[in-house]
Amino acid sequence: MSIQLFVPFTEKEQAKSFGALWNPDMKTWYLPDNKYDQIPAVEKWIPGIDRFDLILSPVLMVAHAHRKCWKCNHINTVIALGSSPYYVRDEDWQEFSFSLFQNVTDMSDFLGDFLKNQYPLFKPGFSKTTRSTYWVNHCEKCKQIQGDFHLFDEPGVAFFPTTSEEASRLTINQYRFIFSPLLNADFSIGDHHDLIREYARW
Ligand SMILES: [Zn+2]
């Protein structure tokens, strides 16, 4: 459970002073999860960090729900990625407790590879509504995209429960990675996360 770091040889003492450790088997530096308060100090060594605005926990959450396809009426399983805690690029990296993420536009390659295998219908797609490409659910039957708006943005929709009963329809799987995935996405803060934590099936 850690953040992978690419530390040049000449900077290794400095990295160590921030709590970075060397993994001899994987031949890589990493920041252990009890040192995540040092993320701002080691940020420059996180590979590709410039592309991302979120650092997730190495334990990825995947929330599952069901929703009828707007095009063909097929009942699909749709998913949302989540993390607890997660870190947001601000002036520093700020820790937040829990969110599901929407409008996912970029992610660490290993997370993309995992999703390709495990959830092949969650993949980049072009939304005519937002005129942008992001990682989005697709219908199992007709392959049309199932846009984030109808899953996240209106109270009572799949990933925005407003009651314990709505939250209880969610199932959450957890997947443990060696390193924290990096993500570009929108997060949200609100009571629905407490409902999900308490009433979803974990
Ligand atoms: Zn469909």
Side-chain angles (χ1 to χ4, degrees):
M1 302 251 298
S2 56
I3 298 173
Q4 190 173 26
L5 304 174
F6 286 2
V7 180
F9 184 76
T10 53
E11 295 172 11
K12 69 185 175 67
E13 292 305 323
Q14 193 191 1
K16 268 196 247 177
S17 73
F18 297 131
L21 298 173
W22 173 253
N23 180 321
D25 296 329
M26 300 187 71
K27 298 196 189 324
T28 185
W29 289 93
Y30 65 98
L31 186 71
D33 63 355
N34 61 352
K35 291 283 182 185
Y36 275 23
D37 58 325
Q38 295 296 321
I39 287 174
V42 304
E43 177 184 352
K44 61 179 174 177
W45 297 309
I46 303 174
I49 192 65
D50 291 350
R51 271 164 53 203
F52 299 101
D53 52 23
L54 297 173
I55 299 174
L56 309 191
S57 161
V59 182
L60 177 77
M61 294 175 187
V62 179
H64 303 69
H66 292 100
R67 193 172 191 281
K68 200 188 268 185
C69 174
W70 57 273
K71 179 99 178 187
C72 76
N73 286 334
H74 177 72
I75 306 285
N76 286 295
T77 298
V78 289
I79 65 156
L81 307 182
S83 181
S84 175
Y86 62 103
Y87 300 81
V88 178
R89 180 196 295 283
D90 203 346
E91 287 182 16
D92 259 335
W93 287 87
Q94 204 185 338
E95 181 178 336
F96 288 88
S97 62
F98 171 49
S99 183
L100 298 179
F101 304 109
Q102 64 188 99
N103 191 28
V104 175
T105 54
D106 200 2
M107 64 179 69
S108 295
D109 290 343
F110 69 85
L111 179 56
D113 291 342
F114 164 82
L115 292 171
K116 211 178 285 176
N117 287 320
Q118 199 77 20
Y119 298 101
L121 292 168
F122 185 76
K123 59 184 179 181
F126 181 76
S127 161
K128 286 177 193 153
T129 316
T130 59
R131 293 167 184 268
S132 63
T133 298
Y134 61 95
W135 287 70
V136 62
N137 291 281
H138 290 68
C139 177
E140 292 153 9
K141 210 165 175 186
C142 76
K143 310 302 179 202
Q144 288 290 323
I145 74 162
Q146 311 293 305
D148 276 0
F149 179 80
H150 300 288
L151 296 175
F152 289 90
D153 287 339
E154 292 167 321
V157 295
F159 298 124
F160 190 171
T162 54
T163 64
S164 54
E165 204 265 323
E166 286 168 0
S168 72
R169 293 181 204 144
L170 296 176
T171 304
I172 302 202
N173 290 2
Q174 299 187 81
Y175 299 94
R176 184 175 295 270
F177 294 97
I178 298 169
F179 298 120
S180 276
L182 310 178
L183 206 66
N184 260 349
D186 295 336
F187 59 96
S188 63
I189 294 165
D191 297 342
H192 56 294
H193 293 120
D194 297 330
L195 287 172
I196 293 171
R197 270 216 258 232
E198 194 160 346
Y199 296 104
R201 288 184 298 265
W202 292 77

